[in-house]
CSV table of all heavy atoms in Angstrom, one decimal:
chain,number,residue,atom,x,y,z
A,53,PHE,N,27.4,-43.7,36.8
A,53,PHE,CA,28.5,-42.8,36.7
A,53,PHE,C,28.3,-41.5,37.4
A,53,PHE,O,29.3,-41.1,38.1
A,53,PHE,CB,28.9,-42.6,35.2
A,53,PHE,CG,29.7,-43.6,34.6
A,53,PHE,CD1,29.6,-44.9,34.9
A,53,PHE,CD2,30.7,-43.3,33.6
A,53,PHE,CE1,30.4,-45.9,34.3
A,53,PHE,CE2,31.5,-44.2,33.0
A,53,PHE,CZ,31.4,-45.5,33.4
A,54,PRO,N,27.2,-40.8,37.3
A,54,PRO,CA,27.0,-39.6,38.1
A,54,PRO,C,27.1,-39.8,39.6
A,54,PRO,O,27.6,-38.9,40.3
A,54,PRO,CB,25.7,-39.0,37.6
A,54,PRO,CG,25.4,-39.7,36.3
A,54,PRO,CD,26.1,-41.0,36.4
A,55,LEU,N,26.5,-40.9,40.0
A,55,LEU,CA,26.5,-41.1,41.5
A,55,LEU,C,27.9,-41.4,42.0
A,55,LEU,O,28.3,-40.9,43.0
A,55,LEU,CB,25.6,-42.3,41.8
A,55,LEU,CG,25.4,-42.6,43.3
A,55,LEU,CD1,24.8,-41.4,44.0
A,55,LEU,CD2,24.5,-43.8,43.4
A,56,VAL,N,28.7,-42.1,41.2
A,56,VAL,CA,30.1,-42.4,41.6
A,56,VAL,C,30.9,-41.1,41.5
A,56,VAL,O,31.8,-40.8,42.4
A,56,VAL,CB,30.8,-43.5,40.7
A,56,VAL,CG1,32.2,-43.6,40.9
A,56,VAL,CG2,30.1,-44.8,40.9
A,57,GLY,N,30.6,-40.2,40.5
A,57,GLY,CA,31.2,-38.9,40.5
A,57,GLY,C,30.9,-38.1,41.7
A,57,GLY,O,31.7,-37.3,42.2
A,58,LEU,N,29.7,-38.2,42.2
A,58,LEU,CA,29.3,-37.5,43.5
A,58,LEU,C,30.1,-38.0,44.7
A,58,LEU,O,30.5,-37.3,45.5
A,58,LEU,CB,27.8,-37.7,43.7
A,58,LEU,CG,27.2,-37.0,44.9
A,58,LEU,CD1,27.3,-35.5,44.8
A,58,LEU,CD2,25.8,-37.4,45.1
A,59,VAL,N,30.3,-39.3,44.7
A,59,VAL,CA,31.1,-40.0,45.8
A,59,VAL,C,32.5,-39.4,45.7
A,59,VAL,O,33.1,-39.0,46.7
A,59,VAL,CB,31.0,-41.5,45.7
A,59,VAL,CG1,32.1,-42.1,46.6
A,59,VAL,CG2,29.7,-42.0,46.0
A,60,ILE,N,33.1,-39.4,44.5
A,60,ILE,CA,34.5,-38.9,44.4
A,60,ILE,C,34.6,-37.5,44.7
A,60,ILE,O,35.5,-37.0,45.5
A,60,ILE,CB,35.0,-39.2,42.9
A,60,ILE,CG1,35.1,-40.7,42.7
A,60,ILE,CG2,36.3,-38.5,42.7
A,60,ILE,CD1,35.4,-41.0,41.2
A,61,GLY,N,33.6,-36.7,44.3
A,61,GLY,CA,33.6,-35.2,44.6
A,61,GLY,C,33.4,-35.0,46.1
A,61,GLY,O,34.0,-34.1,46.6
A,62,SER,N,32.6,-35.8,46.7
A,62,SER,CA,32.4,-35.7,48.2
A,62,SER,C,33.7,-36.0,48.9
A,62,SER,O,34.1,-35.3,49.9
A,62,SER,CB,31.3,-36.6,48.7
A,62,SER,OG,30.1,-36.3,48.1
A,63,LEU,N,34.4,-37.0,48.5
A,63,LEU,CA,35.7,-37.3,49.1
A,63,LEU,C,36.7,-36.2,49.0
A,63,LEU,O,37.4,-35.8,49.9
A,63,LEU,CB,36.3,-38.6,48.6
A,63,LEU,CG,35.6,-39.9,49.0
A,63,LEU,CD1,36.1,-41.1,48.1
A,63,LEU,CD2,35.7,-40.2,50.4
A,64,LEU,N,36.8,-35.6,47.7
A,64,LEU,CA,37.7,-34.5,47.5
A,64,LEU,C,37.3,-33.3,48.2
A,64,LEU,O,38.1,-32.5,48.7
A,64,LEU,CB,37.8,-34.2,46.0
A,64,LEU,CG,38.5,-35.3,45.2
A,64,LEU,CD1,38.4,-35.0,43.7
A,64,LEU,CD2,39.9,-35.5,45.6
A,65,ALA,N,36.0,-33.0,48.4
A,65,ALA,CA,35.5,-31.9,49.2
A,65,ALA,C,35.9,-32.1,50.6
A,65,ALA,O,36.2,-31.1,51.3
A,65,ALA,CB,34.0,-31.8,49.0
A,66,ALA,N,35.8,-33.3,51.2
A,66,ALA,CA,36.2,-33.5,52.5
A,66,ALA,C,37.7,-33.3,52.7
A,66,ALA,O,38.1,-32.7,53.7
A,66,ALA,CB,35.9,-35.0,52.9
A,67,VAL,N,38.5,-33.7,51.7
A,67,VAL,CA,39.9,-33.4,51.8
A,67,VAL,C,40.2,-31.9,51.8
A,67,VAL,O,41.0,-31.4,52.5
A,67,VAL,CB,40.7,-34.1,50.7
A,67,VAL,CG1,42.1,-33.7,50.6
A,67,VAL,CG2,40.6,-35.7,50.8
A,68,ASN,N,39.5,-31.2,50.9
A,68,ASN,CA,39.6,-29.8,50.7
A,68,ASN,C,39.3,-29.1,52.0
A,68,ASN,O,39.9,-28.2,52.5
A,68,ASN,CB,38.8,-29.2,49.6
A,68,ASN,CG,39.0,-27.8,49.3
A,68,ASN,OD1,40.1,-27.3,49.5
A,68,ASN,ND2,38.0,-27.1,49.0
A,69,TYR,N,38.1,-29.5,52.6
A,69,TYR,CA,37.7,-28.9,53.9
A,69,TYR,C,38.7,-29.1,55.0
A,69,TYR,O,39.0,-28.2,55.8
A,69,TYR,CB,36.3,-29.4,54.3
A,69,TYR,CG,35.9,-28.9,55.6
A,69,TYR,CD1,35.4,-27.6,55.7
A,69,TYR,CD2,35.9,-29.6,56.8
A,69,TYR,CE1,34.9,-27.0,56.8
A,69,TYR,CE2,35.5,-29.1,58.0
A,69,TYR,CZ,35.0,-27.8,58.0
A,69,TYR,OH,34.6,-27.2,59.2
A,70,GLY,N,39.3,-30.3,55.1
A,70,GLY,CA,40.3,-30.6,56.1
A,70,GLY,C,41.5,-29.8,55.9
A,70,GLY,O,42.1,-29.3,56.9
A,71,LEU,N,42.0,-29.6,54.7
A,71,LEU,CA,43.1,-28.8,54.4
A,71,LEU,C,42.9,-27.3,54.7
A,71,LEU,O,43.7,-26.6,55.1
A,71,LEU,CB,43.6,-29.0,52.9
A,71,LEU,CG,44.2,-30.4,52.6
A,71,LEU,CD1,44.4,-30.5,51.1
A,71,LEU,CD2,45.5,-30.7,53.4
A,72,PHE,N,41.7,-26.9,54.3
A,72,PHE,CA,41.3,-25.5,54.6
A,72,PHE,C,41.2,-25.3,56.1
A,72,PHE,O,41.6,-24.2,56.6
A,72,PHE,CB,40.0,-25.2,53.9
A,72,PHE,CG,39.5,-23.8,54.1
A,72,PHE,CD1,40.1,-22.7,53.4
A,72,PHE,CD2,38.5,-23.4,55.0
A,72,PHE,CE1,39.7,-21.4,53.5
A,72,PHE,CE2,38.1,-22.1,55.2
A,72,PHE,CZ,38.7,-21.1,54.5
Side-chain angles (χ1 to χ4, degrees):
F53 275 35
L55 186 58
V56 172
L58 182 66
V59 169
I60 293 170
S62 298
L63 289 172
L64 292 174
V67 170
N68 184 39
Y69 179 75
L71 292 172
F72 183 77

